[in-house]
Amino acid sequence: MGLDMYLSAKRFLWHSEDDLATNIKRNFPDLPEHMRVKEVTIEAMYWRKANAIHKWFVDRVQGGEDNCSEFEVSLEQLEELLAVIDQVLDNPERASELLPPHEGFFFGGKEMDDWYWEQLKRTQSELQELFTRNWQSWDFYYRASW
């Protein structure tokens, strides 16, 4: 048990994208012919017990609701998260103000220890890489479970 966190990228496939759907469907030869692939979902990022990042999503994306539901996340919000992480990594003395650890049911430690800093650095790196790609036709969603 513990805090598992997922950022998914989803893309709805319109009729004009039949080539992509056809390529995907080839991997499922048992599907009846009338069934169509209509959506692709990618796990864009995964965290385990990164409670400060989870708290950021709860406060900035979920309107304070921490209920294991899926919430849509805009690219602008992901850019905001990256900017906050950049600020914390550049100014560690501001970490408790900008991105404090969060207590919860099996959420992990509340210390700003090596785990905390490693999670911020990994998130920074993965978000930076994410922004090197074109995601304009994708929708992002955050969900946590524990």
Side-chain angles (χ1 to χ4, degrees), residues 19-78:
D19 288 343
L20 178 58
T22 300
N23 288 335
I24 294 169
K25 193 169 178 182
R26 280 190 201 127
N27 292 304
F28 301 95
D30 294 340
L31 286 179
E33 191 62 36
H34 71 278
M35 290 186 177
R36 297 183 58 206
V37 176
K38 294 302 296 177
E39 184 177 79
V40 175
T41 301
I42 297 170
E43 183 179 282
M45 294 181 70
Y46 169 79
W47 302 264
R48 175 131 177 96
K49 297 186 180 185
N51 57 52
I53 294 168
H54 173 66
K55 177 70 170 148
W56 185 91
F57 278 105
V58 169
D59 291 344
R60 303 299 190 302
V61 174
Q62 300 176 207
E65 288 185 57
D66 192 0
N67 61 12
C68 294
S69 295
E70 186 174 73
F71 291 84
E72 189 167 7
V73 182
S74 68
L75 286 172
E76 292 78 17
Q77 288 170 314
L78 293 175

Side-chain angles (χ1 to χ4, degrees), residues 119-136:
Q119 292 301 309
L120 292 188
K121 289 174 187 173
R122 185 179 65 82
T123 302
Q124 179 190 49
S125 174
E126 290 183 16
L127 283 173
Q128 287 170 339
E129 182 178 354
L130 182 132
F131 288 124
T132 67
R133 312 252 188 308
N134 179 4
W135 294 100
Q136 295 308 312

